[in-house]
Amino acid sequence: MVKHTATSVVTIERFIIEQERLYPHATGDLSAILYDLGVAAKMIANKVRSAGLADILGSAEKENIQGEVQQKLDIIANEIIVKAMDHGGRLCGMGSEEEEDMIHIPDRFKRGKYVLLFDPLDGSSNIDVNVPVGTIFSVLHKVSEGERAVLADMLQPGYEQVAAGYVIYGASTMLVYTTGQGAHGFTLDPSIGEFLLSHPHIRIPETGRYLSVNDSYSQMWNEPTRALMRYYRGLDGTREAMSVRYVGSLVADFHRNLLGGGLFAYPANTSNPQGKLRLQYEANPLAFIVEQAGGAATDGHRRIVDLKPTSLHQRTPLFIGSLHDVEAAKRILGDSVAEEVGA
Ligand code: AHM
Ligand code: MG
């Protein structure tokens, strides 16, 4: 791979092309998908930035100044991605956290050999209070015969992902992605409208500083989960206490922990016995990225990317982040999660 110095200006387009050259048989289709996702991300970033304003301007009649009916931003983000991705001729189908069924590519467009799974606007309940939200995506090869995607194409385990990434709409907009050659981050320069390479070869510290978990569920956790959280907080005297940081926006919590070291946990609880987060739209793509950065992800018993999905919107408990902290989750929870999942 070409080595970039701190002073090189590398656009995401150039970086994607350089990565493609590592695969002599690459057709350019995956590169085009990633590039189109970058364009969709810029469009969503623009909507997110003006969200508060649009609400004020549209509040009287529920219409904005262009006369369009106000829509929830997660629906808008969903539409932006579908419209940006459906006509490129590289995808044969999509799955979105916002849509119950698979999204087919209209007959008027050419179909390709990839499927795209995405959460268009994760953490969207945070929009109203100006807290970062994000988009998460996962790209898989089509495995079925025929032109159209079928459910089996969407239900592949995470280790089959060919690319995955997320966008965080925060103080700046960042896109982080992997194609299995490391995890790389790009920051949107709003003055030129380009994502520029800012975080090449991200490495997550092996032991984390931060613990991200919604503690208000502690009464609904099983005893091993409570013991694990006591361990992370240093209450059992075997480790230094982690600092608790919980935004409640997965991408924001994950991003901080990826760069600074830490663990995000959304364990099963009595009201969410399978956890809350979606395997294909949230857990798998972030697991691919964190593993590429030297971290890990588990449901407490098995590696996230080894789980075999059985439905499109499957949920999973998730412990993701710094390697040693994820290993602790497996060590302390392993047996109890194995019992819950019947493994
Ligand atoms: P969403 O996909 O409906 O936005 O829900 C996912 C979000 C994550 O971003 C976040 O980590 C989690 O839900 C927070 O859940 P809770 O409020 O139960 O802590
Ligand atoms: Mg989500």
Side-chain angles (χ1 to χ4, degrees), residues 97-98 119-124 134 136 250 276-278 281-282:
E97 200 191 280
E98 286 295 328
D119 181 354
L121 208 59
D122 184 66
S124 52
I136 312 174
L250 173 61
K276 176 184 183 188
L277 299 171
R278 306 313 208 286
Y281 309 117
E282 295 167 327

Short mmCIF file of all heavy atoms in Angstrom, two decimals, residues 97-98 119-124 134 136 250 276-278 281-282, ligand 2:
data_model
loop_
_atom_site.label_atom_id
_atom_site.label_comp_id
_atom_site.label_asym_id
_atom_site.label_seq_id
_atom_site.Cartn_x
_atom_site.Cartn_y
_atom_site.Cartn_z
N GLU A 97 -32.35 -0.94 8.17
CA GLU A 97 -32.99 -1.04 9.48
C GLU A 97 -34.35 -0.35 9.47
O GLU A 97 -35.23 -0.69 10.25
CB GLU A 97 -32.09 -0.40 10.55
CG GLU A 97 -32.46 -0.87 11.93
CD GLU A 97 -31.80 -0.08 13.03
OE1 GLU A 97 -30.63 -0.34 13.31
OE2 GLU A 97 -32.47 0.79 13.61
N GLU A 98 -34.54 0.59 8.56
CA GLU A 98 -35.81 1.34 8.49
C GLU A 98 -36.89 0.61 7.70
O GLU A 98 -38.01 1.09 7.63
CB GLU A 98 -35.57 2.71 7.83
CG GLU A 98 -34.86 3.70 8.72
CD GLU A 98 -35.69 4.08 9.94
OE1 GLU A 98 -36.92 4.11 9.86
OE2 GLU A 98 -35.07 4.33 10.99
N ASP A 119 -27.89 0.85 8.37
CA ASP A 119 -28.72 1.59 9.32
C ASP A 119 -28.55 3.05 8.93
O ASP A 119 -27.48 3.62 9.12
CB ASP A 119 -28.22 1.34 10.76
CG ASP A 119 -29.07 2.08 11.79
OD1 ASP A 119 -29.96 2.84 11.38
OD2 ASP A 119 -28.83 1.88 13.00
N PRO A 120 -29.59 3.66 8.31
CA PRO A 120 -29.39 4.98 7.72
C PRO A 120 -29.04 6.07 8.73
O PRO A 120 -28.19 6.92 8.46
CB PRO A 120 -30.72 5.29 7.03
CG PRO A 120 -31.71 4.31 7.56
CD PRO A 120 -30.95 3.13 8.06
N LEU A 121 -29.71 6.06 9.87
CA LEU A 121 -29.41 7.11 10.87
C LEU A 121 -29.53 6.51 12.26
O LEU A 121 -30.59 6.56 12.89
CB LEU A 121 -30.37 8.29 10.69
CG LEU A 121 -29.80 9.63 11.13
CD1 LEU A 121 -28.52 9.99 10.37
CD2 LEU A 121 -30.82 10.72 10.98
N ASP A 122 -28.43 5.95 12.72
CA ASP A 122 -28.44 5.32 14.03
C ASP A 122 -28.44 6.37 15.13
O ASP A 122 -27.74 7.38 15.02
CB ASP A 122 -27.22 4.42 14.18
CG ASP A 122 -27.27 3.69 15.49
OD1 ASP A 122 -28.16 2.86 15.66
OD2 ASP A 122 -26.44 4.00 16.37
N GLY A 123 -29.21 6.10 16.18
CA GLY A 123 -29.27 7.04 17.31
C GLY A 123 -30.12 8.25 17.00
O GLY A 123 -29.96 9.31 17.60
N SER A 124 -31.08 8.09 16.06
CA SER A 124 -31.80 9.27 15.57
C SER A 124 -32.66 9.93 16.65
O SER A 124 -33.04 11.09 16.50
CB SER A 124 -32.65 8.91 14.34
OG SER A 124 -33.45 7.81 14.62
N GLY A 134 -25.30 8.66 13.45
CA GLY A 134 -24.43 8.06 12.44
C GLY A 134 -25.14 7.17 11.44
O GLY A 134 -26.33 6.86 11.59
N ILE A 136 -24.45 3.42 9.41
CA ILE A 136 -23.59 2.23 9.47
C ILE A 136 -23.90 1.37 8.24
O ILE A 136 -25.07 1.23 7.87
CB ILE A 136 -23.86 1.40 10.75
CG1 ILE A 136 -23.89 2.30 11.99
CG2 ILE A 136 -22.79 0.31 10.92
CD1 ILE A 136 -24.29 1.57 13.28
N LEU A 250 -24.89 4.77 19.25
CA LEU A 250 -23.87 3.71 19.12
C LEU A 250 -22.62 4.19 18.38
O LEU A 250 -21.50 3.93 18.81
CB LEU A 250 -24.50 2.50 18.42
CG LEU A 250 -23.56 1.36 18.03
CD1 LEU A 250 -22.89 0.75 19.25
CD2 LEU A 250 -24.31 0.29 17.25
N LYS A 276 -30.50 -5.33 22.13
CA LYS A 276 -31.29 -4.38 21.34
C LYS A 276 -30.73 -4.21 19.94
O LYS A 276 -31.47 -4.00 18.98
CB LYS A 276 -31.29 -3.03 22.04
CG LYS A 276 -31.99 -1.94 21.26
CD LYS A 276 -31.90 -0.59 21.93
CE LYS A 276 -32.69 0.44 21.13
NZ LYS A 276 -32.48 1.80 21.63
N LEU A 277 -29.42 -4.30 19.82
CA LEU A 277 -28.78 -3.88 18.57
C LEU A 277 -28.91 -4.94 17.48
O LEU A 277 -28.98 -6.14 17.77
CB LEU A 277 -27.34 -3.50 18.85
CG LEU A 277 -27.27 -2.32 19.84
CD1 LEU A 277 -25.85 -2.06 20.30
CD2 LEU A 277 -27.87 -1.06 19.22
N ARG A 278 -28.96 -4.47 16.25
CA ARG A 278 -29.20 -5.37 15.12
C ARG A 278 -27.89 -5.97 14.64
O ARG A 278 -26.90 -5.27 14.42
CB ARG A 278 -29.85 -4.62 13.96
CG ARG A 278 -31.12 -3.85 14.23
CD ARG A 278 -32.15 -4.61 15.00
NE ARG A 278 -33.50 -4.17 14.71
CZ ARG A 278 -34.02 -3.04 15.14
NH1 ARG A 278 -33.32 -2.19 15.86
NH2 ARG A 278 -35.28 -2.73 14.83
N TYR A 281 -27.10 -4.82 10.73
CA TYR A 281 -26.96 -3.39 10.42
C TYR A 281 -26.00 -2.67 11.35
O TYR A 281 -25.51 -1.59 11.03
CB TYR A 281 -28.32 -2.68 10.52
CG TYR A 281 -29.41 -3.37 9.74
CD1 TYR A 281 -30.53 -3.90 10.39
CD2 TYR A 281 -29.31 -3.50 8.36
CE1 TYR A 281 -31.52 -4.53 9.68
CE2 TYR A 281 -30.30 -4.13 7.65
CZ TYR A 281 -31.41 -4.66 8.31
OH TYR A 281 -32.38 -5.30 7.60
N GLU A 282 -25.80 -3.22 12.54
CA GLU A 282 -25.01 -2.50 13.54
C GLU A 282 -23.81 -3.32 14.02
O GLU A 282 -22.66 -2.89 13.92
CB GLU A 282 -25.91 -2.10 14.72
CG GLU A 282 -26.98 -1.12 14.28
CD GLU A 282 -28.11 -0.89 15.27
OE1 GLU A 282 -28.48 -1.81 16.01
OE2 GLU A 282 -28.65 0.22 15.28
MG MG B 2 -29.74 1.73 14.79
#
